[in-house]
Amino acid sequence: MATLPPAHRPPGPRGHGREIHTLAAFDAAVARPGSLAGHRIQSVDLTDRTFALLTAVTREAVFLGCRMEPEAAAKVRADGALVFPPVPELPFDPYRARLYTPEELFEGIAGTGYESTPDFLAYAWFGRTRSDGDIFSSMLRSLHDDAVSDALDEHLAKAPVVGVMGGHAMGRGTEAYAGAARLGRSLARAGLTVATGGGPGAMEAANLGAYLAPHPDEALAEALGLLAGAPSFTPSVTDWARAAFAVRARWPDGGDSVGIPTWFYGHEPPNPFAAHIAKYFANATREDGLLARSTAGVVFLPGAAGTVQEIFDNATPNYYASPGASTPMVLVDRAHWTTRLPAWPLLGALAADRPMAARIALVDSIDEAPSALARLGA
């Protein structure tokens, strides 16, 4: 069997076992024989670990955005390590090793408002650089999005994920919003990880339901009443987000779910009810990644152009019966998907005489969606 030459063969541990994301993991690695050889140290502040770096074996290691003293950086480079230095004055970390949290993205919302938060500052940077043709800016966006994808894969490893898709215009205080919240709660209580596009409207409602899944049923009704006072993220993202954080404070220790939003649509802030947020600059990467990771199926609530796009993005691997990619698809609201936006007739025509026909369903009400999803996945 042919083998790679030493310069191209990853030494030491492989896969996620080579990644170091914390100081504790760094300290444990330098205590072992072989030290840091071949490891990937990702966004760890190493300014207090100069002696360890000077004495560690760092050949073929990669340091991604790690702060370190100049003498330590010079030594690891001399060893043959690859060093990607931190980028100063950037409102986000392109090498980040973990998903975002609502608290991180909305830091400062309780004081000076949304315009001072890391989420808004990252979007403002994106707005300044997205069309300037600067390869450095586009490289930083790509590094960030790849790091987020890596963190998302690690977080969702082996989890049964169900996607919930729907429009951002669904307002708090409406029956449609309450139904989407009940759906998220039912799916979470069934042991599924709810994943949404991470924005307002139907997406927020599903994440809200998953967040309140560990709490008594009456918590959802009370939370819906509190949120109705700020029905939309327009005209004030600040008021909208503060209402959400008031609900989180009233019912702490919420359930797990994932939001996968994008800065591409800057008018859509992320919702604070997703426990883990994978936010992207590239919307195409975000869309494909959300659907590909929905391994237990996808529920499509009434929406507009974006939701229609997601239906047929998801239909393609089902149509071709791509190995490992076929997932149940449940469309909610017969009138919406057969009359207002007749996606269902086209979906049914595509599925005719193919295995895909057993993987799609159309239901009248949102409360029918969990049982339809379970039936298709059986």
Side-chain angles (χ1 to χ4, degrees):
M1 179 181 294
T3 58
L4 291 171
H8 300 280
R9 186 167 60 245
R14 296 177 179 269
H16 295 316
R18 289 190 295 158
E19 296 181 8
I20 294 175
H21 299 161
T22 65
L23 270 178
F26 175 87
D27 292 339
V30 295
R32 294 193 295 265
S35 200
L36 299 174
H39 282 73
R40 283 76 174 102
I41 303 90
Q42 191 173 354
S43 196
V44 180
D45 188 344
L46 300 174
T47 51
D48 290 335
R49 296 297 189 274
T50 299
F51 178 77
L53 290 168
L54 293 176
T55 56
V57 177
T58 57
R59 68 179 184 277
E60 299 184 40
V62 180
F63 292 85
L64 297 162
C66 297
R67 290 180 171 81
M68 59 182 86
E69 296 295 342
E71 60 178 318
K75 182 267 180 187
V76 300
R77 285 193 178 100
D79 277 356
L82 190 60
V83 178
F84 291 77
V87 182
E89 300 181 5
L90 200 64
F92 61 94
D93 179 4
Y95 313 105
R96 61 180 302 112
R98 66 190 188 283
L99 298 177
Y100 291 99
T101 65
E103 293 84 356
E104 181 180 4
L105 287 175
F106 284 101
E107 183 181 1
I109 192 74
T112 51
Y114 179 63
E115 286 71 20
S116 67
T117 64
D119 184 67
F120 180 85
L121 295 176
Y123 171 65
W125 176 88
F126 182 38
R128 293 192 302 270
T129 64
R130 65 190 298 180
S131 59
D132 64 8
D134 182 2
I135 191 172
F136 183 57
S137 297
S138 63
M139 183 191 73
L140 291 173
R141 293 194 295 269
S142 296
L143 284 171
H144 170 273
D145 286 1
D146 189 70
V148 167
S149 289
D150 184 65
L152 185 59
D153 285 337
E154 292 176 2
H155 177 72
L156 294 177
K158 300 181 180 179
V161 180
V162 59
V164 178
M165 312 297 165
H168 69 262
M170 185 184 288
R172 295 169 173 174
T174 65
E175 177 51 38
Y177 185 96
R182 292 194 303 271
L183 172 66
R185 184 178 64 182
S186 296
L187 296 171
R189 287 179 174 177
L192 298 166
T193 297
V194 173
T196 77
M203 298 171 280
E204 180 191 54
N207 287 129
L208 168 66
Y211 180 86
L212 290 175
H215 295 278
D217 287 355
E218 54 267 23
L220 179 56
E222 187 176 344
L224 292 171
L226 293 173
L227 292 171
S232 174
F233 62 97
T234 59
S236 173
V237 175
T238 298
D239 292 344
W240 174 85
R242 285 175 177 170
F245 279 103
V247 168
R248 288 172 56 95
R250 172 70 177 80
W251 292 278
D253 304 318
D256 188 33
S257 70
V258 173
I260 307 181
T262 176
W263 281 293
F264 185 83
Y265 298 124
H267 64 288
E268 285 189 18
N271 79 73
F273 293 113
H276 307 277
I277 300 174
K279 191 153 192 181
Y280 289 89
F281 289 106
N283 185 53
T285 305
R286 168 251 193 171
E287 290 273 10
D288 183 68
L290 171 55
L291 292 168
R293 291 176 175 88
S294 297
T295 53
V298 185
V299 178
F300 297 93
L301 304 178
T307 310
V308 171
Q309 176 186 341
E310 290 160 348
I311 288 172
F312 291 103
D313 281 348
N314 197 216
T316 302
N318 275 341
Y319 178 83
Y320 289 110
S322 303
S326 298
T327 54
M329 300 175 63
V330 178
L331 278 63
V332 175
D333 191 332
R334 189 176 303 273
H336 185 85
W337 294 122
T338 60
T339 304
R340 286 190 287 275
L341 293 175
W344 177 256
L346 178 53
L347 193 62
L350 284 171
D353 301 320
R354 304 182 76 92
M356 175 183 170
R359 308 287 279 175
I360 63 173
L362 175 66
V363 298
D364 291 307
S365 74
I366 203 165
D367 294 322
E368 298 173 76
S371 59
L373 190 68
R375 182 177 69 254
L376 295 178

